[in-house]
Structure formats: structure tokens, C-alpha cells
Amino acid sequence: MEYRRKIFTIIELLSMVYRFIQWLSLGFLRPENKLRVLAYHQICPLRNEYSPEISQQIISPEAFSEQMKLLSSERYTVLTVNEALQYLKSETPFPAKCVCITFDDGYYNYYKYAFPILSQYNIRATFYLATGYIGQSFNWLHS
């Protein structure tokens, strides 16, 4: 069982590295005056009980931290969604190297894992809450 867990972890790490390289190759790091939106769905330790579809939506806290470290060290301007809307409404060009960071669904793991990392790098983000589900748990992650 431990061997399977290690293999699964290695495969997931390789998958994350591949996706990150794809992300870079799409021109994300070019300092053009375009807004990029980084949308996150789950930030938690990877576990092999998740379905493959769900696993693709999960990023580990370590990988998320590396991404935020990169944005910070490369001096990206991180806008909230409201700030980005103000740029659009005023037809003002976006600053070079700017991004919005969003989190969907309002999971507790954002508070547990993402918030400390965002605070560490002084990065702001926009969190969307599914208010009809507050206080409930979801079993669909494991199906």
C-alpha cells in the first residue's frame, strides 16, 4: 500500500510539473499588459482516494506556495476581481505582469492551506462562496 501511495504521489507531482510547464509555455510570464486569471478549485494534500477528474483540480499546498513565490519574486501585480473590473470600466491598460487569483466554492482548505501562503507573500485573492452549501460537507470529492 505504501508503495502504491509513493507511485501515486510521483505521478501526481509529474502531472503538476507538466501542467506548470504548459502554463509557462502559454506565455504567462511575458510582461504584456494583459490580465491573467488564476482560478483554483482545491488546495490540499494529494490523496489517492480522489477520482482522476477531481485530482486534476487539486493543487498541493507546496505547489501553490511555489506559484505564489514565483509571482512575488517576479513582482507581479495581483489585482482583486473588483480592481480588474475598474481597469476595464475606465478603459485603463492593465499594469504589466498582472494577475487575478480566484478560488471557487469556498472550501475550508482555502483557509487552512491557501490563506497562510497568500499572507506570507502579501498576495490578495478573490474567494467565491457557494452560500447555499455553507455548513455542509461534500462526499462527491471521493466519488
Side-chain angles (χ1 to χ4, degrees):
M1 186 66 153
E2 185 63 31
Y3 179 73
R4 284 185 68 207
R5 175 178 276 155
K6 287 180 182 178
I7 295 295
F8 181 78
T9 302
I10 290 170
I11 291 170
E12 286 300 313
L13 288 172
L14 290 174
S15 173
M16 285 188 303
V17 168
Y18 175 74
R19 284 183 284 179
F20 188 67
I21 290 170
Q22 283 182 317
W23 179 62
L24 292 175
S25 69
L26 292 173
F28 181 78
L29 295 177
R30 286 187 222 142
E32 300 167 0
N33 292 60
K34 294 181 181 178
L35 176 69
R36 283 13 182 230
V37 178
L38 304 179
Y40 293 95
H41 295 280
Q42 289 286 326
I43 297 179
C44 59
L46 300 172
R47 299 190 307 235
N48 58 3
E49 69 226 35
Y50 294 132
S51 68
E53 295 81 19
I54 298 300
S55 293
Q56 292 178 356
Q57 298 177 22
I58 297 173
I59 183 171
S60 70
E62 297 81 11
F64 179 71
S65 182
E66 285 299 314
Q67 290 179 6
M68 297 305 105
K69 180 180 178 181
L70 176 70
L71 293 176
S72 179
S73 67
E74 293 292 323
R75 301 190 187 280
Y76 272 77
T77 300
V78 181
L79 303 174
T80 64
V81 171
N82 285 338
E83 290 170 337
L85 288 173
Q86 292 304 313
Y87 276 94
L88 291 171
K89 286 179 184 177
S90 67
E91 298 181 6
T92 304
F94 288 109
K97 297 169 52 169
C98 72
V99 298
C100 281
I101 299 172
T102 67
F103 295 90
D104 292 342
D105 305 319
Y107 292 108
Y108 172 72
N109 63 41
Y110 299 151
Y111 178 74
K112 184 175 181 180
Y113 298 111
F115 183 70
I117 295 166
L118 292 168
S119 296
Q120 176 184 352
Y121 293 105
N122 197 30
I123 292 177
R124 298 172 302 155
T126 301
F127 294 84
Y128 294 101
L129 303 179
T131 57
Y133 296 98
I134 291 176
Q136 298 181 27
S137 63
F138 293 98
N139 292 326
W140 62 268
L141 289 174
H142 304 286
S143 59

